[in-house]
């Protein structure tokens, strides 16, 4: 099998259809679990089009959210959606955060760590910019154990011999890998949590448009008409519809949090 294209985040409208609803469902559970107080300073690393940043703002009354992403296209949508003065949106790299050390009460990555070229470096950067006693937290889809919302698509592409683009570092989605990394970085009071979510599509076409046509990997552009028709047939057979035609898909994420030593 040829190597698949790396996933690029260059179409924020497609991301909004494809992943943002999932991000909001899991992000809500993540925020419930973090249970942050009001008035904190946050860094939201890999903020994307602002799906999770908006939730921090709506739910956690932050003093400041420094939201940073490597994709100008994603940030452009975040800028359109978010005008609150507490939120500062910047372009930048999770592996070299442009902030002084010990600056934030809370550093978070929502659905990002498995995309960072070196997850250890990305997590170490979050620790560096967090104040002593502050929290460092992350979640990603449980991609190795079939928890990604795209796992049906990945499985069927694999079955057809068509390389599916996956995040480059899915191994870091394992609880064991996360716990080892948070321990190695000296974080205390480490806890993990599985976040289980579901999304209901109005019918198969809604699923196809949201989860196949809109994927950032641009899958359909790489398929012949016959392959695309076969993929559609296989997914339709795999995803049973309710009596009213709706399709419900489940996903799960692995989350971790820990405190920087005071
Ligand atoms: C799946 S999206 C998550 C976006 C948002 N946090 C959410 O929950 O919807 C992953 C984001 O990570 C960003 N990203 C990937 N690698 C990055 C890096 N090294 N530095 C900064 N951002 C990165 C991508 O541009 C993309 O917007």
């Amino acid at each position: 099998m040829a190597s698949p294209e790396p996933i690029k985040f260059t179409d924020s409208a497609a991301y909004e259809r494809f992943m943002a609803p999932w991000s909001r469902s899991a992000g809500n559970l993540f925020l419930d679990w973090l249970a942050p107080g009001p008035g904190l300073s946050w860094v939201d690393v890999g903020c994307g089009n602002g799906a999770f940043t908006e939730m921090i703002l709506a739910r956690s009354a932050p003093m400041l959210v420094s939201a940073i992403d490597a994709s100008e296209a994603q940030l452009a949508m975040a800028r359109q959606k978010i005008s609150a003065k507490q939120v500062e949106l910047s372009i930048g790299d999770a592996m070299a955060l442009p902030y002084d050390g010990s600056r934030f009460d809370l550093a978070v990555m929502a659905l990002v760590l498995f995309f960072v070229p070196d997850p250890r470096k990305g997590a170490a950067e979050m620790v560096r910019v967090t104040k002593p006693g502050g929290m460092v937290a992350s979640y990603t889809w449980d991609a190795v154990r079939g928890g990604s919302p795209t796992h049906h698509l990945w499985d069927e592409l694999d079955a057809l011999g068509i390389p599916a683009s996956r995040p480059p570092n899915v191994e870091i989605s394992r609880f064991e890998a996360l716990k080892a990394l948070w321990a190695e970085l000296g974080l205390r009071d480490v806890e993990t949590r599985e976040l289980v979510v579901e999304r209901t599509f109005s019918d198969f076409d809604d699923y196809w448009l949201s989860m196949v046509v809109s994927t950032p990997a641009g899958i359909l552009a790489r398929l012949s008409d016959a392959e695309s028709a076969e993929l559609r047939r296989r997914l339709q057979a795999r995803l049973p519809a309710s009596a009213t035609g709706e399709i419900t898909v489940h996903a799960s994420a692995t989350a971790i949090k820990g405190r920087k030593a005071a």
Side-chain angles (χ1 to χ4, degrees):
M1 243 191 261
S3 296
E5 289 284 302
I7 297 172
K8 296 196 183 88
F9 293 90
T10 50
D11 184 343
S12 60
Y15 182 85
E16 185 61 31
R17 282 192 299 274
F18 164 65
M19 190 50 69
W22 290 106
S23 163
R24 290 189 189 99
S25 300
N28 256 318
L29 298 180
F30 186 51
L31 273 180
D32 288 346
W33 181 58
L34 295 183
L40 300 179
S41 56
W42 296 64
V43 60
D44 178 12
V45 182
C47 64
N49 75 359
F52 186 65
T53 322
E54 284 181 305
M55 291 169 53
I56 298 172
L57 200 56
R59 291 192 42 181
S60 305
M63 181 185 73
L64 165 77
V65 186
S66 290
I68 186 160
D69 200 279
S71 161
E72 192 50 67
Q74 289 276 71
L75 278 173
M77 181 177 270
R79 287 198 187 95
Q80 276 173 16
K81 292 196 297 185
I82 304 173
S83 57
K85 61 179 184 339
Q86 304 95 308
V87 178
E88 167 193 276
L89 293 156
S90 336
I91 191 104
D93 184 357
M95 307 243 297
L97 293 174
Y99 308 118
D100 293 339
S102 302
R103 174 157 169 203
F104 300 99
D105 298 305
L106 240 153
V108 290
M109 279 190 187
L111 296 175
V112 178
L113 192 57
F114 55 10
F115 285 110
V116 175
D118 177 352
R120 188 192 178 284
K121 178 69 181 153
E125 275 295 89
M126 288 205 292
V127 175
R128 180 183 68 76
V129 301
T130 300
K131 293 176 187 170
M135 187 179 280
V136 177
S138 166
Y139 82 89
T140 63
W141 299 120
D142 192 354
V144 178
R145 297 192 305 170
S148 171
T150 48
H151 83 268
H152 299 292
L153 176 61
W154 291 347
D155 280 359
E156 294 306 334
L157 286 169
D158 284 349
L160 289 170
I162 297 163
S165 302
R166 292 172 165 84
N169 291 304
V170 289
E171 286 298 321
I172 198 62
S173 64
R174 293 182 190 275
F175 279 125
E176 303 72 38
L178 283 173
K179 283 193 263 192
L181 179 52
W182 257 234
E184 186 192 336
L185 295 173
L187 292 159
R188 309 273 172 87
D189 305 326
V190 174
E191 291 177 43
T192 57
R193 171 71 63 94
E194 184 176 27
L195 310 175
V196 179
V197 294
E198 64 177 42
R199 179 171 168 194
T200 297
F201 300 88
S202 56
D203 55 22
F204 184 77
D205 283 340
D206 184 22
Y207 170 84
W208 181 258
L209 177 66
S210 304
M211 299 305 297
V212 184
V213 178
S214 302
T215 57
I219 287 159
L220 285 187
R222 294 188 282 120
L223 302 190
S224 66
D225 288 351
E227 286 170 332
S228 168
E230 177 61 6
L231 178 64
R232 197 181 158 93
R233 190 195 64 72
R234 294 178 79 113
L235 284 168
Q236 205 154 10
R238 179 181 181 134
L239 297 168
S242 70
T244 50
E246 291 170 335
I247 287 173
T248 298
V249 177
H250 295 88
S252 62
T254 50
I256 189 158
K257 63 181 178 182
R259 290 204 175 274
K260 183 166 169 177

